[in-house]
């Protein structure tokens, strides 16, 4: 193990010990919540004492209902990632980026990762998922971005120094697993010599962090490493890393193909994301992550700081005591009723004579007939009235049930149960109270998915950095194939990149709402209600209602209904062939003329691009020189006209009836205007084409000759600092 690895391992162990100490109390409470959710609700000592006496310990779990209610609300209103361009000229790319992100979520089954993390956050306050990069398949070198589940949230340790609610500012994080000694040797024996943790210089406390019985802890250690880097501004507005350009020959070639050059450069303080797979005694693997964010996304319950200590609570944290009391009172009531003696029969010996066996077993056997001897003056044998169970058992049970509702914020109306609300408005308001009380959990999931969106948007330019055909998804889930970073020469000369995801800056927002299918169903329902309220509109919108239905054949029904539309509706929506109404004739004529002009220009450009003969190029240069001479002649004529205007202005100032001061002001204004017009006339640049690098010339030299400096070289700038 090298010196650098020893330093890395030492720092990792210190940071992990810091995480263990910080998260210990939070994790214990979270684990207790999970056990409580799954029915382990009696304290161990009380449960053991009651079991020794063969007394019952009933668990009537009323906490799973509120958890399922909140989780179900989240699954019906899934958060959706949406990009927002930081510049107006990047707005066209948002559809491609949003579709690519939807495709990433679909391929990754991201909904399962979100759902699992959220359910853990509601149940115990701690959940997590991750963003990963992997090869598209076993026979491809293309990589894809993926969203993966973290099945055990207790395997994640986040930097205790985070300040943001989504922990996006974390400096380091661990994802750990405990594996047996045999599995450790099978997985890492070829990579690393097995080192005994007892001989690795670890103290007793640190050994406890990394040894768990017969298992060994293996941790993914993610951390930020600060450094100073040089960024360059390209001629198309994109910002790239100078070191990346210097070491990536393919990137340099792509920049040259696009005709891009460096406009300016500067040094910035930044950081790299590093990854190391470690045991307590050795570094097993190291690599550098492509993005600038640690790709571990925690999902928290409600966060609060109390006396400098972080408190994270679940939905059921404060409902544990009411649930215990509910279990106790229900158990006590059941025990009291079960242990109460069965009510005896009241009879005289004479009445039971000869039938003693039947009456002795009357409480144990189901006899269809009980015979007795009739004795004059004696009543019929009868049971004694049963004892009434204590009403305190049931009243306290009801109180405990109400306290569970109060501490979770989920009331009967939210659960679909009947309560004291009678009107629809009152029921809706009580449901709204439940939604507001639990909204913090859904809001925290939204923040976490927004952080995941930032990670993905940051990775897209690195992972999809070259021309590549990918599938994107529309809002309705319709797939579409697009080619990213497609380089073309529409005019035969200038290079244009279509669907360029390597440039532009985008922010990320997350919108929460029903799925597209649900929105269609709600739209159809609202349209039907509207048609009932306005019967005259039913015929006009029948085809739209059918379009939003999910029956088999709904589209065919919509087409038939569209054919039955009234003539006045067709007149404003369809032409005589039943097609969507076309543009006005004037607009169509202009578009046809523009299309014809574009085709002519493209033809001319193709002919010009094919003129590769040396004589033709010389002729083009000569023609360009003639054009320059003609332009210079026009400039000279303009200057002569300017002098004439100056002379006329001076003469006018002498003969004008206005005052000498007014004439001077007018003359000064005219001279300034003429000078400004003259300054706007510029001589065109030459027509010489930049030379391509010779076969033996390096790519860096070729880029230097085209105006692209190497990394670290200062770019010459105008004095005003503008490119």
């Amino acid at each position: 193990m090298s010196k650098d690895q020893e330093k890395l391992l030492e720092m990792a162990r210190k940071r992990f010990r810091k995480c263990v100490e910080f998260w210990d109390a939070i994790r214990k409470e979270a684990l207790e919540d999970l056990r409580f959710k799954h029915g382990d609700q009696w304290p161990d000592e009380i449960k053991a004492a009651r079991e020794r006496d063969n007394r019952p310990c009933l668990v009537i779990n009323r906490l799973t209902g509120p958890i399922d209610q909140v989780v179900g609300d989240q699954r019906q209103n899934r958060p959706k990632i949406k990009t927002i361009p930081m510049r107006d000229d990047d707005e066209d790319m948002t559809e491609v980026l949003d579709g690519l992100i939807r495709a990433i979520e679909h391929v990754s089954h991201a909904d399962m990762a979100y759902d699992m993390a959220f359910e853990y956050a509601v149940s115990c306050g701690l959940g997590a998922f991750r963003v990963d990069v992997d090869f598209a398949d076993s026979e491809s070198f293309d990589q894809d971005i993926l969203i993966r589940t973290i099945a055990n949230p207790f395997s994640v340790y986040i930097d205790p120094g985070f300040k943001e609610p989504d922990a996006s500012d974390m400096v380091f994080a661990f994802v750990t697993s405990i594996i047996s000694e045999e599995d450790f040797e099978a997985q890492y024996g070829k990579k690393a010599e097995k080192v005994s943790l007892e001989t690795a210089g670890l103290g007793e406390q640190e050994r406890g962090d990394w040894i768990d019985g017969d298992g060994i802890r293996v941790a993914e250690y993610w951390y930020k490493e600060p450094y100073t880097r040089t960024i360059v501004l390209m001629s198309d507005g994109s910002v790239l890393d100078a070191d990346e350009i210097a070491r990536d020959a393919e990137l340099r070639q792509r920049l040259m193909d696009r005709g891009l050059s460096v406009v300016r450069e500067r040094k910035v303080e930044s950081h790299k994301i590093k990854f190391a797979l470690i045991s307590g005694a050795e570094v097993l693997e190291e690599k550098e992550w492509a993005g600038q964010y640690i790709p571990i996304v925690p999902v928290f319950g409600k966060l609060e700081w109390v006396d400098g200590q972080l408190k994270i609570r679940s939905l059921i944290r404060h409902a544990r005591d009411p649930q215990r009391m509910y279990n106790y009172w229900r158990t006590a009531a059941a025990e009291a009723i079960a242990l109460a003696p069965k009510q005896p029969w009241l009879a005289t010996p004479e009445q039971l004579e000869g039938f003693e066996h039947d009456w002795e077993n009357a409480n144990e056997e189901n006899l269809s007939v009980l015979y007795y001897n009739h004795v004059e003056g004696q009543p019929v044998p009868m049971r004694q009235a049963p004892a009434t169970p204590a009403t305190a058992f049931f009243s306290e049970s009801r109180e405990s049930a109400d306290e569970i509702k109060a501490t979770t914020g989920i009331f009967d109306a939210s659960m679909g149960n009947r309560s004291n609300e009678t009107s629809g408005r009152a029921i809706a308001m009580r449901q709204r109270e439940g939604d507001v009380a639990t909204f913090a959990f859904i809001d925290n999931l939204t923040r976490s998915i927004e952080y995941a969106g930032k990670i993905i948007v940051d990775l897209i330019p690195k992972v999809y950095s070259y021309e590549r055909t990918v599938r994107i998804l529309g809002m309705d889930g319709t797939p579409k194939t697009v080619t990213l970073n497609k380089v073309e020469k529409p005019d035969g000369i200038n290079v244009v990149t279509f669907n360029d995801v390597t440039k532009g800056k985008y922010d990320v927002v997350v919108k929460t709402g029903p799925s597209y299918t649900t929105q269609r169903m709600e739209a159809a329902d609202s349209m039907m209600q509207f048609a009932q309220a306005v019967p005259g509109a039913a015929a006009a919108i029948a085809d739209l209602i059918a379009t939003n239905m999910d029956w088999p054949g709904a589209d065919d029904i919509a087409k038939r209904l569209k054919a039955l539309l009234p003539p006045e509706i067709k007149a404003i929506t369809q032409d005589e062939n039943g097609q969507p109404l076309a543009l006005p004739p004037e607009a169509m004529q202009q578009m046809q003329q523009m299309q014809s002009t574009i085709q002519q220009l493209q033809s001319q450009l193709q002919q010009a691009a094919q003129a590769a003969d040396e004589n033709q190029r010389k002729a083009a240069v000569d023609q360009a020189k003639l054009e320059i001479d003609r332009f210079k002649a026009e400039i000279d004529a303009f200057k002569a006209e300017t002098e004439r205007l100056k002379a006329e202005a001076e003469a006018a100032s002498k003969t004008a009836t206005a005052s000498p001061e007014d004439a001077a002001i007018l003359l000064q204004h005219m001279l300034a205007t003429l000078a400004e017009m003259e300054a706007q006339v510029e001589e065109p640049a030459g027509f010489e084409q930049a030379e391509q690098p010779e076969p033996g010339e390096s790519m860096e030299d070729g880029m230097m000759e085209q105006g692209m400096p190497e990394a670290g070289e200062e770019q010459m700038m105008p004095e005003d600092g503008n490119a």
Side-chain angles (χ1 to χ4, degrees), residues 39-101:
D40 187 5
Q41 298 179 354
W42 284 83
D44 293 339
E45 60 278 7
I46 296 178
K47 185 176 181 180
R50 293 181 68 89
E51 288 178 346
R52 283 196 302 268
D53 298 335
N54 292 321
R55 300 179 66 187
C57 297
L58 300 182
V59 174
I60 295 90
N61 196 346
R62 298 179 66 94
L63 300 183
T64 55
I67 293 174
D68 294 341
Q69 179 68 30
V70 177
V71 171
D73 286 344
Q74 177 265 325
R75 295 191 181 188
Q76 288 182 333
N77 299 275
R78 295 188 181 278
K80 305 173 186 65
I81 300 173
K82 183 174 178 57
T83 58
I84 298 178
M86 306 294 285
R87 302 184 308 183
D88 292 339
D89 53 353
D90 294 329
E91 189 169 356
D92 294 339
M93 280 299 298
T94 56
E95 181 181 354
V96 175
L97 286 176
D98 291 348
L100 182 57
I101 292 173

Side-chain angles (χ1 to χ4, degrees), residues 65-67 69-70 73 315 401-402 404-415 430 433-435 437-438:
I67 293 174
Q69 179 68 30
V70 177
D73 286 344
L315 176 69
D402 290 340
I404 292 174
K405 300 172 191 175
T407 52
T408 59
I410 303 293
F411 298 93
D412 288 336
S414 298
M415 301 289 292
R430 181 58 65 92
E433 289 179 8
D435 291 342
T438 59

